[in-house]
Every structure is written in C-alpha cells, then in structure tokens.
Amino acid sequence: MHFAARQMTNDTFPPLASYLAKLERRRSLPPHERDAFLELPAVQRHIKPHELVLKEGKTADHCVFVLHGLISRQKSANRVSHIISINFPGDAVDMQTLFFRETDHTLVAHEPTTIVEVPHGAIIEFCDRNPFAAKMLWHDTLVDSAVFREWAMNIGHRRAPQRIGFLLLEFEARLAAVGRSCDGIFEINLTQQELASALGLSLVHMNKSLRRLREEKMIATRGREIHILDKPRLVKMVGFDPNYLQIETAPAFDKPVAFAPSSYPAAAQTSAAPGPL
C-alpha cells in the first residue's frame, strides 16, 4: 500500500499565506503585523522525493515552511533513520533551529514538495518588532511539542492497532483543517514501511494490524487512499482527543495572572540544605 498527498495548485498567494492561515485559525493577527509577516523575505524551493531538506548535525540559517507536499523529521539510531514526525502544507517544520547551533534532526521529502525558506535573522527581527505575532509563533512551537508528547505516548503505551488508528485520526484531523480530507477520506504519501517507522513497528506487525482494522470495518484502504469508516468507534478504541492539536483553539494570551512580575518575592540569597530524595 502506498499513499500520496494531494497538492494545492493555486500559487497566486504569498508564499507564507498558508502558514499564516494556520495561525489565524486560532487567533487573528493585528493587520499591520499580518502584513509584515507576509512581506518577510521568503524563497521557494522545490524538493524531489526522498531528497534531504536538512541534515542532522548541520547548522541551519533559515526556517522551513511546507507549501506543497509532505516532509518528515527523522533521527538516526544505529545507522537507521526513524521518522519522528510528519509535516503537511501550512506547517512550520523547524522553528526551533532559530536558537539551536546545530540541528538535531533530518528533514526528508516524501513526494515532490515545495518549501518556503525564511532567514533566521528576518524572523528574529520580525518578532522583535511584532510582539503579538511573536507570541503566535511561540504558541505554534508549543503545539509542535504537544504533538511530540502525544506521539511518545502513542508509541510507548498503545498496542499496534491502536497506534495506527491514533495516527490516522491525527492525520485526518490535520488534513481536514487545510481542506485535504473530506468525510474521513484522505491521501498521504507514506509507504507501509515508513508508517511502521513512525510507529515503532516492524513491517510484519504493521501489515497484520492494518488488516485487523480493515477486517473490523474501521478503515478502508484503496491504493493511496485512506478512508476512516467508523470514526466514533475508532476514536473510542484509541482514546483520541484532538485538543492537543489546537487547530482552532485560541492561545490563552489573556490568561489571568495572580501577581504582576514585580510582585513576586525576590530570590532568597541563601537556600536551605536539600532534603532527602
């Protein structure tokens, strides 16, 4: 089985418009900050399938945004690369490289992919001048961290069929948000081997678990297409709650604070001896 993601064909929008749309599903930016973001120096680059976008251990001088296609983050263990996350159109792939001296992951395209590169310096200067947008970018990196936590939970604490079901439900939710899934049907360009890598499974275990989900009429597969047939039952089986994706949840920038920063007590000059563990 081999899946493929549909590509958007409308190139009349500014390069960063799809990422901005993702941010503004959560909360709108002030008009002047919105305009400034779209005017950031952005260079489009076309990537071939299986081509490296960024290599682990290298120094990055720009951030990557996905315009079309699909990119995975990968890390190596025992000379074998493992997929640790998937990025779709509208995603910022590696915002954390703004402040990392070396990258701690590799980026790989899985189909013909168009990325947008923005220099680190331009993003840092933009954030200095546009504090609300800076908070929005920070919030998006925190959502990225939430996704990593869910993946770790999924791989570490669910059986194979549940792992697969959880990942497919996440893909469906994320792709539906960008208009690439309808009625539980979507396409994604990952082989079974690549899905197995993302889920910490052997290919044999992956095949058996997919067969079980099909036999139980929870999903159907046809060539490159996935169809979630019984979403309520699959959600219940895997315990899927999409809140961690924060797809349309407004950031809590106005969360009540008990004390102003100046009201916090000064740090003690001396500290008590640590107690026993």
Side-chain angles (χ1 to χ4, degrees), residues 6 9 12 61-62 92 101 137 160 187 194 196 205 246 264:
R6 294 188 184 94
T9 57
T12 62
D61 59 4
H62 56 262
R101 295 191 184 278
L137 296 180
E187 297 177 351
E194 289 164 340
H205 212 170
Q246 300 282 302
Y264 288 104

Side-chain angles (χ1 to χ4, degrees), residues 132-260:
F132 188 88
K135 288 182 180 180
M136 292 291 287
L137 296 180
W138 185 17
H139 178 262
D140 195 45
T141 63
L142 297 177
V143 174
D144 208 26
S145 298
V147 173
F148 275 121
R149 289 191 291 272
E150 288 295 333
W151 277 46
M153 182 72 178
N154 191 39
I155 292 173
H157 298 279
R158 290 189 178 96
R159 296 181 181 275
Q162 286 77 15
R163 288 187 209 179
I164 297 169
F166 189 95
L167 192 64
L168 295 181
L169 286 167
E170 179 186 298
F171 287 169
E172 191 273 335
R174 292 169 63 188
L175 290 171
V178 294
R180 292 157 56 90
S181 175
C182 181
D183 297 326
I185 302 173
F186 59 93
E187 297 177 351
I188 185 166
N189 189 12
L190 291 173
T191 64
Q192 279 197 24
Q193 182 64 66
E194 289 164 340
L195 281 171
S197 171
L199 291 165
L201 298 171
S202 69
L203 183 57
V204 171
H205 212 170
M206 185 76 192
N207 286 333
K208 289 181 178 179
S209 299
L210 275 173
R211 187 184 312 120
R212 174 182 166 184
L213 292 174
R214 288 193 293 260
E215 290 173 350
E216 294 186 5
K217 307 299 183 184
M218 292 192 191
I219 68 168
T221 60
R222 184 176 60 185
R224 300 175 174 182
E225 187 175 88
I226 296 283
H227 187 184
I228 297 177
L229 298 173
D230 193 338
K231 186 172 180 178
R233 191 157 60 103
L234 188 58
V235 166
K236 183 177 180 180
M237 184 185 82
V238 306
F240 182 75
D241 182 346
N243 284 343
Y244 70 96
L245 296 171
Q246 300 282 302
I247 290 174
E248 295 183 350
T249 303
F253 296 155
D254 50 0
K255 182 184 294 184
V257 179
F259 301 99

